[in-house]
Amino acid sequence: MTALALSNVCKSFGPVEVLKDIDLTVEDGEFVVFVGPSGCGKSTLLRVIAGLEDATKGTVKIGGVEVNSVPPAKRGIAMVFQSYALYPHLSVRGNMELGLKQEKQPKSVIDTRVDKAVKMLDLGAYVDRRPSDLSGGQRQRVAIGRAIVREPKLFLFDEPLSNLDAALRMNTRIEIAELHRTLEASIIYVTHDQTEAMTLADKIVVLRDGRVEQVGSPMELYNNPVNQFVAGFLGSPAMNFLSKAPLSIPEGGVIGIRPEHLRPVKDGRIKGSVTHVERLGGDTNLLVKTAEDEALTVRIFGQDGTSVGDSIQLDFDDAMAFAFDREERRVA
């Protein structure tokens, strides 16, 4: 069964078109990530799905039922926000129980669902604490627990890890992935972080300027981007784009080469000098200015002794290069 179906969804604020003809399906149990730069429309699209914004045009169906005129509370969704949105005067248990009490669920149902969520999220030691007594990661787990107890048809996550530090982001990301596997739930997750998208998603939706650029699995998008924007957005470090390269280039276009596909050699086709070195322990990134005055990044696996100012020659397997025309479309 299809958990979500969007057909020709548009959203305008006055004369400004924010979403443009969005067609998308999310299957039962699928983890779908909306990703794109700030202002691309991903959070607005999530709000349209949730019913917090009305679509200007198009159809939103959840579980096969059109919900355009259905209020958010009746859509069978649960939303987790970036800001946690916990009630400061309520305990962990109180925050998780509140929505179910408002639904007038029996106490036995409330206790069973909350106890299950507390155990799943390892919050047993904190159930009587208030949000001010919790860390950022613990508060986010409470917000997730509050969504879980609703047993929704669809979970919506709006940049839930943005307020966490790097270590907590990684731990909470793992917890969300485990939660998805445990619940077998349909999840839509919004982020600007392509690492989150690549590591969590069954399916990624790349958005730009209110349009869907490409939809596919993380590796499909990484290995077969349809255009220069998708190729440059997914991957860390980002793909290199050269307008002067030792390959045939479409007129006005560029060649794209991922940093890990460039290698230092004695007699390479690309010559340049090292302008910066990032030593990351397991990897080394070299920033290089070519003889044609173009900048590129080289990713070397492991530690490397190259220094700033060194001359360097690089090469790559032609089969690993991407060609894009002047309209940024993939041509090879």
Side-chain angles (χ1 to χ4, degrees), residues 86-87 90-101 110 113-119 121-124 127 138-150:
L86 300 177
Y87 291 98
L90 295 178
S91 66
V92 167
R93 180 174 287 277
N95 269 281
M96 289 191 184
E97 290 176 340
L98 184 60
L100 297 179
K101 287 180 176 178
I110 294 172
R113 292 190 189 179
V114 170
D115 289 345
K116 181 180 178 182
V118 165
K119 183 178 180 181
L121 294 166
D122 196 21
L123 288 169
V127 289
Q138 290 162 350
R139 291 178 199 176
Q140 193 56 278
R141 278 151 59 198
V142 176
I144 293 169
R146 184 178 55 191
I148 290 172
V149 299
R150 298 273 312 279

PDB file of all heavy atoms in Angstrom, residues 86-87 90-101 110 113-119 121-124 127 138-150:
ATOM      1  N   LEU A  86       8.907  20.599  23.445  1.00  0.00           N
ATOM      2  CA  LEU A  86       8.428  19.909  24.642  1.00  0.00           C
ATOM      3  C   LEU A  86       7.801  20.914  25.606  1.00  0.00           C
ATOM      4  O   LEU A  86       8.182  22.087  25.647  1.00  0.00           O
ATOM      5  CB  LEU A  86       9.583  19.186  25.334  1.00  0.00           C
ATOM      6  CG  LEU A  86      10.320  18.128  24.522  1.00  0.00           C
ATOM      7  CD1 LEU A  86      11.480  17.550  25.320  1.00  0.00           C
ATOM      8  CD2 LEU A  86       9.375  17.019  24.068  1.00  0.00           C
ATOM      9  N   TYR A  87       6.844  20.443  26.408  1.00  0.00           N
ATOM     10  CA  TYR A  87       6.246  21.287  27.435  1.00  0.00           C
ATOM     11  C   TYR A  87       7.164  21.308  28.653  1.00  0.00           C
ATOM     12  O   TYR A  87       7.408  20.262  29.269  1.00  0.00           O
ATOM     13  CB  TYR A  87       4.860  20.768  27.812  1.00  0.00           C
ATOM     14  CG  TYR A  87       3.846  20.934  26.713  1.00  0.00           C
ATOM     15  CD1 TYR A  87       3.535  19.882  25.852  1.00  0.00           C
ATOM     16  CD2 TYR A  87       3.204  22.152  26.524  1.00  0.00           C
ATOM     17  CE1 TYR A  87       2.617  20.049  24.831  1.00  0.00           C
ATOM     18  CE2 TYR A  87       2.275  22.330  25.502  1.00  0.00           C
ATOM     19  CZ  TYR A  87       1.988  21.268  24.665  1.00  0.00           C
ATOM     20  OH  TYR A  87       1.077  21.439  23.646  1.00  0.00           O
ATOM     21  N   LEU A  90       6.046  19.751  32.110  1.00  0.00           N
ATOM     22  CA  LEU A  90       5.686  18.331  32.174  1.00  0.00           C
ATOM     23  C   LEU A  90       6.932  17.458  32.215  1.00  0.00           C
ATOM     24  O   LEU A  90       7.971  17.802  31.648  1.00  0.00           O
ATOM     25  CB  LEU A  90       4.831  17.936  30.967  1.00  0.00           C
ATOM     26  CG  LEU A  90       3.453  18.589  30.844  1.00  0.00           C
ATOM     27  CD1 LEU A  90       2.762  18.114  29.568  1.00  0.00           C
ATOM     28  CD2 LEU A  90       2.588  18.273  32.062  1.00  0.00           C
ATOM     29  N   SER A  91       6.815  16.322  32.856  1.00  0.00           N
ATOM     30  CA  SER A  91       7.900  15.342  32.880  1.00  0.00           C
ATOM     31  C   SER A  91       8.015  14.660  31.523  1.00  0.00           C
ATOM     32  O   SER A  91       7.200  14.887  30.620  1.00  0.00           O
ATOM     33  CB  SER A  91       7.626  14.290  33.961  1.00  0.00           C
ATOM     34  OG  SER A  91       6.464  13.526  33.590  1.00  0.00           O
ATOM     35  N   VAL A  92       9.031  13.800  31.382  1.00  0.00           N
ATOM     36  CA  VAL A  92       9.178  13.006  30.161  1.00  0.00           C
ATOM     37  C   VAL A  92       7.902  12.210  29.904  1.00  0.00           C
ATOM     38  O   VAL A  92       7.349  12.225  28.799  1.00  0.00           O
ATOM     39  CB  VAL A  92      10.400  12.067  30.282  1.00  0.00           C
ATOM     40  CG1 VAL A  92      10.384  11.011  29.182  1.00  0.00           C
ATOM     41  CG2 VAL A  92      11.696  12.866  30.235  1.00  0.00           C
ATOM     42  N   ARG A  93       7.427  11.515  30.931  1.00  0.00           N
ATOM     43  CA  ARG A  93       6.203  10.732  30.767  1.00  0.00           C
ATOM     44  C   ARG A  93       5.017  11.644  30.435  1.00  0.00           C
ATOM     45  O   ARG A  93       4.199  11.324  29.565  1.00  0.00           O
ATOM     46  CB  ARG A  93       5.914   9.928  32.034  1.00  0.00           C
ATOM     47  CG  ARG A  93       4.636   9.084  31.940  1.00  0.00           C
ATOM     48  CD  ARG A  93       4.466   8.199  33.154  1.00  0.00           C
ATOM     49  NE  ARG A  93       5.407   7.090  33.132  1.00  0.00           N
ATOM     50  CZ  ARG A  93       5.209   5.966  32.465  1.00  0.00           C
ATOM     51  NH1 ARG A  93       4.124   5.788  31.732  1.00  0.00           N
ATOM     52  NH2 ARG A  93       6.105   5.005  32.525  1.00  0.00           N
ATOM     53  N   GLY A  94       4.942  12.777  31.105  1.00  0.00           N
ATOM     54  CA  GLY A  94       3.839  13.693  30.867  1.00  0.00           C
ATOM     55  C   GLY A  94       3.812  14.208  29.441  1.00  0.00           C
ATOM     56  O   GLY A  94       2.740  14.336  28.829  1.00  0.00           O
ATOM     57  N   ASN A  95       4.986  14.506  28.883  1.00  0.00           N
ATOM     58  CA  ASN A  95       5.059  14.960  27.497  1.00  0.00           C
ATOM     59  C   ASN A  95       4.604  13.871  26.544  1.00  0.00           C
ATOM     60  O   ASN A  95       3.920  14.151  25.555  1.00  0.00           O
ATOM     61  CB  ASN A  95       6.490  15.398  27.165  1.00  0.00           C
ATOM     62  CG  ASN A  95       6.739  16.869  27.424  1.00  0.00           C
ATOM     63  OD1 ASN A  95       6.372  17.724  26.631  1.00  0.00           O
ATOM     64  ND2 ASN A  95       7.351  17.151  28.570  1.00  0.00           N
ATOM     65  N   MET A  96       4.991  12.628  26.822  1.00  0.00           N
ATOM     66  CA  MET A  96       4.601  11.526  25.942  1.00  0.00           C
ATOM     67  C   MET A  96       3.115  11.207  26.049  1.00  0.00           C
ATOM     68  O   MET A  96       2.476  10.832  25.068  1.00  0.00           O
ATOM     69  CB  MET A  96       5.428  10.285  26.268  1.00  0.00           C
ATOM     70  CG  MET A  96       6.890  10.364  25.869  1.00  0.00           C
ATOM     71  SD  MET A  96       7.657   8.733  26.010  1.00  0.00           S
ATOM     72  CE  MET A  96       9.354   9.111  25.611  1.00  0.00           C
ATOM     73  N   GLU A  97       2.556  11.393  27.251  1.00  0.00           N
ATOM     74  CA  GLU A  97       1.152  11.032  27.464  1.00  0.00           C
ATOM     75  C   GLU A  97       0.173  12.058  26.919  1.00  0.00           C
ATOM     76  O   GLU A  97      -0.972  11.711  26.577  1.00  0.00           O
ATOM     77  CB  GLU A  97       0.884  10.893  28.973  1.00  0.00           C
ATOM     78  CG  GLU A  97       1.519   9.705  29.633  1.00  0.00           C
ATOM     79  CD  GLU A  97       1.270   9.723  31.139  1.00  0.00           C
ATOM     80  OE1 GLU A  97       0.963  10.811  31.684  1.00  0.00           O
ATOM     81  OE2 GLU A  97       1.381   8.645  31.756  1.00  0.00           O
ATOM     82  N   LEU A  98       0.583  13.315  26.825  1.00  0.00           N
ATOM     83  CA  LEU A  98      -0.363  14.401  26.612  1.00  0.00           C
ATOM     84  C   LEU A  98      -1.229  14.214  25.369  1.00  0.00           C
ATOM     85  O   LEU A  98      -2.452  14.367  25.417  1.00  0.00           O
ATOM     86  CB  LEU A  98       0.384  15.731  26.548  1.00  0.00           C
ATOM     87  CG  LEU A  98      -0.514  16.973  26.430  1.00  0.00           C
ATOM     88  CD1 LEU A  98      -1.445  17.075  27.634  1.00  0.00           C
ATOM     89  CD2 LEU A  98       0.322  18.233  26.296  1.00  0.00           C
ATOM     90  N   GLY A  99      -0.604  13.891  24.232  1.00  0.00           N
ATOM     91  CA  GLY A  99      -1.372  13.734  22.997  1.00  0.00           C
ATOM     92  C   GLY A  99      -2.399  12.625  23.096  1.00  0.00           C
ATOM     93  O   GLY A  99      -3.528  12.754  22.587  1.00  0.00           O
ATOM     94  N   LEU A 100      -2.045  11.543  23.760  1.00  0.00           N
ATOM     95  CA  LEU A 100      -2.977  10.428  23.913  1.00  0.00           C
ATOM     96  C   LEU A 100      -4.123  10.795  24.841  1.00  0.00           C
ATOM     97  O   LEU A 100      -5.275  10.381  24.635  1.00  0.00           O
ATOM     98  CB  LEU A 100      -2.227   9.202  24.459  1.00  0.00           C
ATOM     99  CG  LEU A 100      -1.119   8.649  23.558  1.00  0.00           C
ATOM    100  CD1 LEU A 100      -0.429   7.464  24.221  1.00  0.00           C
ATOM    101  CD2 LEU A 100      -1.660   8.237  22.199  1.00  0.00           C
ATOM    102  N   LYS A 101      -3.829  11.600  25.879  1.00  0.00           N
ATOM    103  CA  LYS A 101      -4.895  12.065  26.767  1.00  0.00           C
ATOM    104  C   LYS A 101      -5.864  12.968  26.017  1.00  0.00           C
ATOM    105  O   LYS A 101      -7.083  12.892  26.221  1.00  0.00           O
ATOM    106  CB  LYS A 101      -4.288  12.807  27.961  1.00  0.00           C
ATOM    107  CG  LYS A 101      -3.594  11.901  28.970  1.00  0.00           C
ATOM    108  CD  LYS A 101      -3.026  12.705  30.132  1.00  0.00           C
ATOM    109  CE  LYS A 101      -2.413  11.790  31.187  1.00  0.00           C
ATOM    110  NZ  LYS A 101      -1.813  12.562  32.312  1.00  0.00           N
ATOM    111  N   ILE A 110      -2.665   4.196  27.103  1.00  0.00           N
ATOM    112  CA  ILE A 110      -1.623   5.212  27.295  1.00  0.00           C
ATOM    113  C   ILE A 110      -0.403   4.613  27.971  1.00  0.00           C
ATOM    114  O   ILE A 110       0.735   4.782  27.513  1.00  0.00           O
ATOM    115  CB  ILE A 110      -2.164   6.398  28.115  1.00  0.00           C
ATOM    116  CG1 ILE A 110      -3.259   7.134  27.329  1.00  0.00           C
ATOM    117  CG2 ILE A 110      -1.037   7.358  28.496  1.00  0.00           C
ATOM    118  CD1 ILE A 110      -3.979   8.209  28.129  1.00  0.00           C
ATOM    119  N   ARG A 113       1.529   2.126  25.608  1.00  0.00           N
ATOM    120  CA  ARG A 113       2.272   2.777  24.525  1.00  0.00           C
ATOM    121  C   ARG A 113       3.465   3.560  25.052  1.00  0.00           C
ATOM    122  O   ARG A 113       4.561   3.528  24.468  1.00  0.00           O
ATOM    123  CB  ARG A 113       1.343   3.697  23.739  1.00  0.00           C
ATOM    124  CG  ARG A 113       0.281   2.970  22.933  1.00  0.00           C
ATOM    125  CD  ARG A 113      -0.407   3.964  22.009  1.00  0.00           C
ATOM    126  NE  ARG A 113      -1.573   3.392  21.343  1.00  0.00           N
ATOM    127  CZ  ARG A 113      -2.342   4.062  20.500  1.00  0.00           C
ATOM    128  NH1 ARG A 113      -2.081   5.346  20.240  1.00  0.00           N
ATOM    129  NH2 ARG A 113      -3.375   3.489  19.931  1.00  0.00           N
ATOM    130  N   VAL A 114       3.275   4.286  26.147  1.00  0.00           N
ATOM    131  CA  VAL A 114       4.367   5.095  26.695  1.00  0.00           C
ATOM    132  C   VAL A 114       5.479   4.195  27.226  1.00  0.00           C
ATOM    133  O   VAL A 114       6.665   4.446  26.986  1.00  0.00           O
ATOM    134  CB  VAL A 114       3.852   6.043  27.794  1.00  0.00           C
ATOM    135  CG1 VAL A 114       5.024   6.711  28.521  1.00  0.00           C
ATOM    136  CG2 VAL A 114       2.944   7.095  27.193  1.00  0.00           C
ATOM    137  N   ASP A 115       5.118   3.136  27.939  1.00  0.00           N
ATOM    138  CA  ASP A 115       6.134   2.215  28.465  1.00  0.00           C
ATOM    139  C   ASP A 115       6.945   1.591  27.335  1.00  0.00           C
ATOM    140  O   ASP A 115       8.165   1.436  27.440  1.00  0.00           O
ATOM    141  CB  ASP A 115       5.475   1.109  29.299  1.00  0.00           C
ATOM    142  CG  ASP A 115       4.931   1.616  30.633  1.00  0.00           C
ATOM    143  OD1 ASP A 115       5.316   2.739  31.030  1.00  0.00           O
ATOM    144  OD2 ASP A 115       4.122   0.902  31.257  1.00  0.00           O
ATOM    145  N   LYS A 116       6.272   1.249  26.246  1.00  0.00           N
ATOM    146  CA  LYS A 116       6.961   0.667  25.090  1.00  0.00           C
ATOM    147  C   LYS A 116       7.943   1.662  24.476  1.00  0.00           C
ATOM    148  O   LYS A 116       9.096   1.323  24.157  1.00  0.00           O
ATOM    149  CB  LYS A 116       5.936   0.226  24.048  1.00  0.00           C
ATOM    150  CG  LYS A 116       6.533  -0.424  22.808  1.00  0.00           C
ATOM    151  CD  LYS A 116       5.427  -0.826  21.828  1.00  0.00           C
ATOM    152  CE  LYS A 116       6.002  -1.433  20.563  1.00  0.00           C
ATOM    153  NZ  LYS A 116       4.930  -1.792  19.591  1.00  0.00           N
ATOM    154  N   ALA A 117       7.523   2.912  24.328  1.00  0.00           N
ATOM    155  CA  ALA A 117       8.393   3.936  23.745  1.00  0.00           C
ATOM    156  C   ALA A 117       9.564   4.254  24.661  1.00  0.00           C
ATOM    157  O   ALA A 117      10.697   4.441  24.204  1.00  0.00           O
ATOM    158  CB  ALA A 117       7.587   5.203  23.452  1.00  0.00           C
ATOM    159  N   VAL A 118       9.316   4.315  25.961  1.00  0.00           N
ATOM    160  CA  VAL A 118      10.379   4.585  26.930  1.00  0.00           C
ATOM    161  C   VAL A 118      11.451   3.507  26.858  1.00  0.00           C
ATOM    162  O   VAL A 118      12.655   3.801  26.851  1.00  0.00           O
ATOM    163  CB  VAL A 118       9.785   4.676  28.359  1.00  0.00           C
ATOM    164  CG1 VAL A 118      10.889   4.576  29.409  1.00  0.00           C
ATOM    165  CG2 VAL A 118       9.015   5.970  28.527  1.00  0.00           C
ATOM    166  N   LYS A 119      11.024   2.261  26.774  1.00  0.00           N
ATOM    167  CA  LYS A 119      11.982   1.156  26.677  1.00  0.00           C
ATOM    168  C   LYS A 119      12.738   1.207  25.358  1.00  0.00           C
ATOM    169  O   LYS A 119      13.967   1.020  25.315  1.00  0.00           O
ATOM    170  CB  LYS A 119      11.243  -0.178  26.815  1.00  0.00           C
ATOM    171  CG  LYS A 119      12.167  -1.396  26.798  1.00  0.00           C
ATOM    172  CD  LYS A 119      11.373  -2.685  26.992  1.00  0.00           C
ATOM    173  CE  LYS A 119      12.313  -3.888  26.981  1.00  0.00           C
ATOM    174  NZ  LYS A 119      11.547  -5.168  27.143  1.00  0.00           N
ATOM    175  N   LEU A 121      13.479   3.710  23.512  1.00  0.00           N
ATOM    176  CA  LEU A 121      14.388   4.849  23.410  1.00  0.00           C
ATOM    177  C   LEU A 121      15.330   4.965  24.605  1.00  0.00           C
ATOM    178  O   LEU A 121      16.048   5.958  24.736  1.00  0.00           O
ATOM    179  CB  LEU A 121      13.567   6.136  23.273  1.00  0.00           C
ATOM    180  CG  LEU A 121      12.759   6.235  21.978  1.00  0.00           C
ATOM    181  CD1 LEU A 121      11.731   7.354  22.070  1.00  0.00           C
ATOM    182  CD2 LEU A 121      13.674   6.462  20.783  1.00  0.00           C
ATOM    183  N   ASP A 122      15.322   3.946  25.486  1.00  0.00           N
ATOM    184  CA  ASP A 122      16.225   3.908  26.641  1.00  0.00           C
ATOM    185  C   ASP A 122      16.085   5.173  27.495  1.00  0.00           C
ATOM    186  O   ASP A 122      17.068   5.803  27.885  1.00  0.00           O
ATOM    187  CB  ASP A 122      17.677   3.749  26.164  1.00  0.00           C
ATOM    188  CG  ASP A 122      18.614   3.306  27.294  1.00  0.00           C
ATOM    189  OD1 ASP A 122      18.118   2.751  28.291  1.00  0.00           O
ATOM    190  OD2 ASP A 122      19.830   3.557  27.190  1.00  0.00           O
ATOM    191  N   LEU A 123      14.838   5.516  27.809  1.00  0.00           N
ATOM    192  CA  LEU A 123      14.563   6.705  28.618  1.00  0.00           C
ATOM    193  C   LEU A 123      14.058   6.353  30.014  1.00  0.00           C
ATOM    194  O   LEU A 123      13.578   7.231  30.745  1.00  0.00           O
ATOM    195  CB  LEU A 123      13.523   7.582  27.910  1.00  0.00           C
ATOM    196  CG  LEU A 123      14.006   8.322  26.656  1.00  0.00           C
ATOM    197  CD1 LEU A 123      12.814   8.927  25.914  1.00  0.00           C
ATOM    198  CD2 LEU A 123      15.006   9.403  27.020  1.00  0.00           C
ATOM    199  N   GLY A 124      14.181   5.094  30.413  1.00  0.00           N
ATOM    200  CA  GLY A 124      13.626   4.639  31.689  1.00  0.00           C
ATOM    201  C   GLY A 124      14.111   5.410  32.895  1.00  0.00           C
ATOM    202  O   GLY A 124      13.360   5.635  33.852  1.00  0.00           O
ATOM    203  N   VAL A 127      12.155   9.246  33.143  1.00  0.00           N
ATOM    204  CA  VAL A 127      10.717   9.467  32.922  1.00  0.00           C
ATOM    205  C   VAL A 127      10.123  10.535  33.827  1.00  0.00           C
ATOM    206  O   VAL A 127       9.124  11.174  33.467  1.00  0.00           O
ATOM    207  CB  VAL A 127       9.915   8.150  33.070  1.00  0.00           C
ATOM    208  CG1 VAL A 127      10.180   7.219  31.909  1.00  0.00           C
ATOM    209  CG2 VAL A 127      10.196   7.488  34.402  1.00  0.00           C
ATOM    210  N   GLN A 138      18.730  13.751  24.735  1.00  0.00           N
ATOM    211  CA  GLN A 138      17.620  13.144  25.480  1.00  0.00           C
ATOM    212  C   GLN A 138      16.306  13.840  25.166  1.00  0.00           C
ATOM    213  O   GLN A 138      15.273  13.189  25.016  1.00  0.00           O
ATOM    214  CB  GLN A 138      17.924  13.208  26.981  1.00  0.00           C
ATOM    215  CG  GLN A 138      19.047  12.271  27.404  1.00  0.00           C
ATOM    216  CD  GLN A 138      19.635  12.628  28.763  1.00  0.00           C
ATOM    217  OE1 GLN A 138      19.339  13.679  29.337  1.00  0.00           O
ATOM    218  NE2 GLN A 138      20.478  11.751  29.288  1.00  0.00           N
ATOM    219  N   ARG A 139      16.342  15.159  25.028  1.00  0.00           N
ATOM    220  CA  ARG A 139      15.115  15.888  24.680  1.00  0.00           C
ATOM    221  C   ARG A 139      14.606  15.455  23.308  1.00  0.00           C
ATOM    222  O   ARG A 139      13.393  15.298  23.111  1.00  0.00           O
ATOM    223  CB  ARG A 139      15.382  17.399  24.669  1.00  0.00           C
ATOM    224  CG  ARG A 139      15.644  17.990  26.025  1.00  0.00           C
ATOM    225  CD  ARG A 139      15.939  19.476  25.911  1.00  0.00           C
ATOM    226  NE  ARG A 139      16.616  19.960  27.101  1.00  0.00           N
ATOM    227  CZ  ARG A 139      17.059  21.202  27.252  1.00  0.00           C
ATOM    228  NH1 ARG A 139      16.896  22.089  26.275  1.00  0.00           N
ATOM    229  NH2 ARG A 139      17.657  21.571  28.370  1.00  0.00           N
ATOM    230  N   GLN A 140      15.533  15.258  22.368  1.00  0.00           N
ATOM    231  CA  GLN A 140      15.089  14.846  21.042  1.00  0.00           C
ATOM    232  C   GLN A 140      14.492  13.448  21.084  1.00  0.00           C
ATOM    233  O   GLN A 140      13.517  13.163  20.370  1.00  0.00           O
ATOM    234  CB  GLN A 140      16.254  14.915  20.057  1.00  0.00           C
ATOM    235  CG  GLN A 140      15.849  14.811  18.598  1.00  0.00           C
ATOM    236  CD  GLN A 140      14.842  15.864  18.194  1.00  0.00           C
ATOM    237  OE1 GLN A 140      13.640  15.710  18.419  1.00  0.00           O
ATOM    238  NE2 GLN A 140      15.324  16.954  17.596  1.00  0.00           N
ATOM    239  N   ARG A 141      15.030  12.576  21.933  1.00  0.00           N
ATOM    240  CA  ARG A 141      14.455  11.234  22.059  1.00  0.00           C
ATOM    241  C   ARG A 141      13.057  11.292  22.671  1.00  0.00           C
ATOM    242  O   ARG A 141      12.175  10.504  22.304  1.00  0.00           O
ATOM    243  CB  ARG A 141      15.384  10.344  22.893  1.00  0.00           C
ATOM    244  CG  ARG A 141      16.516   9.763  22.039  1.00  0.00           C
ATOM    245  CD  ARG A 141      17.773   9.485  22.813  1.00  0.00           C
ATOM    246  NE  ARG A 141      17.597   8.565  23.907  1.00  0.00           N
ATOM    247  CZ  ARG A 141      18.469   8.436  24.927  1.00  0.00           C
ATOM    248  NH1 ARG A 141      19.549   9.197  24.945  1.00  0.00           N
ATOM    249  NH2 ARG A 141      18.265   7.575  25.879  1.00  0.00           N
ATOM    250  N   VAL A 142      12.835  12.221  23.592  1.00  0.00           N
ATOM    251  CA  VAL A 142      11.485  12.394  24.140  1.00  0.00           C
ATOM    252  C   VAL A 142      10.526  12.856  23.047  1.00  0.00           C
ATOM    253  O   VAL A 142       9.396  12.363  22.947  1.00  0.00           O
ATOM    254  CB  VAL A 142      11.493  13.409  25.311  1.00  0.00           C
ATOM    255  CG1 VAL A 142      10.063  13.655  25.802  1.00  0.00           C
ATOM    256  CG2 VAL A 142      12.365  12.903  26.452  1.00  0.00           C
ATOM    257  N   ALA A 143      10.983  13.794  22.217  1.00  0.00           N
ATOM    258  CA  ALA A 143      10.142  14.264  21.113  1.00  0.00           C
ATOM    259  C   ALA A 143       9.815  13.122  20.155  1.00  0.00           C
ATOM    260  O   ALA A 143       8.687  13.015  19.658  1.00  0.00           O
ATOM    261  CB  ALA A 143      10.852  15.393  20.376  1.00  0.00           C
ATOM    262  N   ILE A 144      10.795  12.263  19.892  1.00  0.00           N
ATOM    263  CA  ILE A 144      10.554  11.104  19.032  1.00  0.00           C
ATOM    264  C   ILE A 144       9.580  10.146  19.710  1.00  0.00           C
ATOM    265  O   ILE A 144       8.666   9.607  19.072  1.00  0.00           O
ATOM    266  CB  ILE A 144      11.883  10.404  18.697  1.00  0.00           C
ATOM    267  CG1 ILE A 144      12.749  11.316  17.814  1.00  0.00           C
ATOM    268  CG2 ILE A 144      11.633   9.069  17.990  1.00  0.00           C
ATOM    269  CD1 ILE A 144      14.179  10.820  17.643  1.00  0.00           C
ATOM    270  N   GLY A 145       9.755   9.949  21.032  1.00  0.00           N
ATOM    271  CA  GLY A 145       8.849   9.071  21.775  1.00  0.00           C
ATOM    272  C   GLY A 145       7.417   9.565  21.753  1.00  0.00           C
ATOM    273  O   GLY A 145       6.477   8.780  21.624  1.00  0.00           O
ATOM    274  N   ARG A 146       7.250  10.885  21.849  1.00  0.00           N
ATOM    275  CA  ARG A 146       5.909  11.470  21.794  1.00  0.00           C
ATOM    276  C   ARG A 146       5.237  11.179  20.442  1.00  0.00           C
ATOM    277  O   ARG A 146       4.018  10.988  20.370  1.00  0.00           O
ATOM    278  CB  ARG A 146       6.020  12.978  22.011  1.00  0.00           C
ATOM    279  CG  ARG A 146       4.698  13.704  22.072  1.00  0.00           C
ATOM    280  CD  ARG A 146       4.906  15.180  22.340  1.00  0.00           C
ATOM    281  NE  ARG A 146       5.814  15.779  21.365  1.00  0.00           N
ATOM    282  CZ  ARG A 146       6.336  17.006  21.497  1.00  0.00           C
ATOM    283  NH1 ARG A 146       6.073  17.731  22.564  1.00  0.00           N
ATOM    284  NH2 ARG A 146       7.132  17.478  20.561  1.00  0.00           N
ATOM    285  N   ALA A 147       6.063  11.123  19.393  1.00  0.00           N
ATOM    286  CA  ALA A 147       5.523  10.763  18.078  1.00  0.00           C
ATOM    287  C   ALA A 147       5.200   9.278  17.996  1.00  0.00           C
ATOM    288  O   ALA A 147       4.166   8.882  17.440  1.00  0.00           O
ATOM    289  CB  ALA A 147       6.518  11.151  16.987  1.00  0.00           C
ATOM    290  N   ILE A 148       6.063   8.437  18.553  1.00  0.00           N
ATOM    291  CA  ILE A 148       5.878   6.986  18.479  1.00  0.00           C
ATOM    292  C   ILE A 148       4.569   6.554  19.120  1.00  0.00           C
ATOM    293  O   ILE A 148       3.836   5.712  18.584  1.00  0.00           O
ATOM    294  CB  ILE A 148       7.060   6.254  19.159  1.00  0.00           C
ATOM    295  CG1 ILE A 148       8.329   6.411  18.332  1.00  0.00           C
ATOM    296  CG2 ILE A 148       6.741   4.774  19.357  1.00  0.00           C
ATOM    297  CD1 ILE A 148       9.565   5.883  19.035  1.00  0.00           C
ATOM    298  N   VAL A 149       4.235   7.126  20.290  1.00  0.00           N
ATOM    299  CA  VAL A 149       3.050   6.660  21.014  1.00  0.00           C
ATOM    300  C   VAL A 149       1.754   6.941  20.257  1.00  0.00           C
ATOM    301  O   VAL A 149       0.732   6.309  20.518  1.00  0.00           O
ATOM    302  CB  VAL A 149       2.975   7.288  22.437  1.00  0.00           C
ATOM    303  CG1 VAL A 149       4.195   6.898  23.252  1.00  0.00           C
ATOM    304  CG2 VAL A 149       2.816   8.802  22.385  1.00  0.00           C
ATOM    305  N   ARG A 150       1.817   7.872  19.303  1.00  0.00           N
ATOM    306  CA  ARG A 150       0.635   8.163  18.498  1.00  0.00           C
ATOM    307  C   ARG A 150       0.313   7.035  17.525  1.00  0.00           C
ATOM    308  O   ARG A 150      -0.805   6.968  17.001  1.00  0.00           O
ATOM    309  CB  ARG A 150       0.865   9.457  17.699  1.00  0.00           C
ATOM    310  CG  ARG A 150       1.092  10.712  18.537  1.00  0.00           C
ATOM    311  CD  ARG A 150      -0.189  11.403  18.914  1.00  0.00           C
ATOM    312  NE  ARG A 150      -1.081  11.584  17.782  1.00  0.00           N
ATOM    313  CZ  ARG A 150      -0.968  12.563  16.876  1.00  0.00           C
ATOM    314  NH1 ARG A 150       0.009  13.440  16.973  1.00  0.00           N
ATOM    315  NH2 ARG A 150      -1.843  12.662  15.894  1.00  0.00           N
TER     316      ARG A 150
END
